[in-house]
Amino acid sequence: MRIATWNVNSITARLPRLLAWLESSGTDVLCVQETKCTEEQFPSEQLKELGYESAVHATGRWNGVALLSRVGLEDVVKGLPGGPEYEGVREPRAVSALCGPVRLWSVYVPNGREVGHDHFAYKLRWFDALGAAVREDAAGERPFAVLGDFNVAPTDDDVWDRSLFDGATHVTPEERAALAALLAEGLTDVVPRPLKYDHPFTYWDYRELGFPKNRGMRIDLVYGNGPFATAVKDSYVDREARKGKGASDHAPVVVDLDI
C-alpha cells in the first residue's frame, strides 16, 4: 500500500500536475493540504475519473485539507475534535478517515506567524487538541498515522541553515515540545530518505532560488503508531514533483507499507 502527503498550495492551480502525479506514482491514498478552495470547488469529479474518492474539509482562502483514496473512505471526520478557534473561526485544518486497513489524518497545522503572536499561541493549542484527538487510535492495534504539513522542523538538521531562523517560528523549543508531546501519544516519526542531497527536505521557498540551492526545511511529516511504523517498507521525498514551472513549494512524502 502506498500512502503520501502533499501540501499542494492550491489544488486548482496544481490540478494538472496532481492528476499526472497520481497516475504515475501508484499512490493509494494521498493526504492533501492547503487546497485553497471551497468543498464545492474541489475537483472531486476529475479525481473520481482516476478512481479516487475524496473526503474534503475546506472553506476557501488559504486552508483546506483532503483525503484522496482508491482503497475506500469510511468513518470520515471533518475538523479537529476539540480544536481551538482563531478569531472566532474553527479553520478547516484536519480530516480523518478509514482508508482500507489504515486510519489516517491529513492535517495542516497553523503557521504561527511570529513568536508571541496570537497565531503562535493558537498553533500550540491546536497541537494540544491534536494529541488528544489521536490518543485512542495511536494506542490501537490498527495501523494509524497523522500526515501533513506540521509547520515545525523537528530538529536543527531539518532546516538548511539554523542560524537564519533565530527568533523565528518553526524551530522554537515550544513548537518542538508540541511535536514531542504528540509523539509521546505512541507515534513514531517516519523519516523519509532524500532522492538527492543528504537530508530529506520537503519544502523550499519560491524566493531566492530556494529549491535549486536546496535551501529547504523538513516540515511535512508522517507520524505513525507502532503497527504503522512496523509495516513501513520504504519512505522518500519525491523531489521530482517540486521541479518545473507551476510546482507547489512542497514536495510529496511517500510511504510504502507492507499491508
Side-chain angles (χ1 to χ4, degrees), residues 8-130:
V8 295
N9 188 19
S10 174
I11 198 165
T12 52
R14 312 302 161 205
L15 186 58
R17 295 180 67 109
L18 172 63
L19 296 175
W21 187 83
L22 286 171
E23 281 196 287
S24 65
S25 68
T27 299
D28 295 303
V29 184
L30 176 63
C31 300
V32 179
Q33 301 86 43
E34 206 171 353
T35 61
K36 291 185 176 178
C37 68
T38 64
E39 292 184 16
E40 293 74 21
Q41 294 168 329
F42 194 84
S44 299
E45 289 304 313
Q46 293 96 317
L47 291 160
K48 188 175 181 180
E49 291 176 3
L50 291 183
Y52 291 90
E53 297 178 75
S54 303
V56 186
H57 186 37
T59 56
R61 302 182 75 184
W62 53 81
N63 299 317
V65 288
L67 282 165
L68 313 179
S69 175
R70 62 181 187 181
V71 294
L73 280 173
E74 299 179 18
D75 191 22
V76 174
V77 176
K78 294 184 178 183
L80 180 61
E85 295 182 350
Y86 184 69
E87 297 183 338
V89 176
R90 188 163 280 114
E91 297 175 321
R93 292 183 173 274
V95 62
S96 174
L98 182 62
C99 305
V102 303
R103 183 160 193 90
L104 303 173
W105 279 93
S106 176
V107 301
Y108 182 33
V109 176
N111 176 280
R113 299 183 186 174
E114 297 176 0
V115 177
H117 194 283
D118 287 346
H119 206 263
F120 186 79
Y122 163 59
K123 180 178 191 175
L124 299 180
R125 293 196 304 273
W126 204 93
F127 265 119
D128 288 341
L130 179 61

Side-chain angles (χ1 to χ4, degrees), residues 182-225:
L182 184 60
L183 287 175
E185 298 293 348
L187 301 175
T188 297
D189 185 358
V190 179
V191 180
R193 59 184 174 87
L195 295 185
K196 187 178 181 180
Y197 300 114
D198 60 353
H199 203 82
F201 295 145
T202 65
Y203 164 84
W204 301 261
D205 199 299
Y206 289 128
R207 298 168 294 182
E208 300 178 351
L209 300 175
F211 182 65
K213 294 181 179 180
N214 199 37
R215 295 175 175 175
M217 306 174 70
R218 185 173 78 95
I219 58 175
D220 302 88
L221 309 175
V222 178
Y223 279 9
N225 70 353

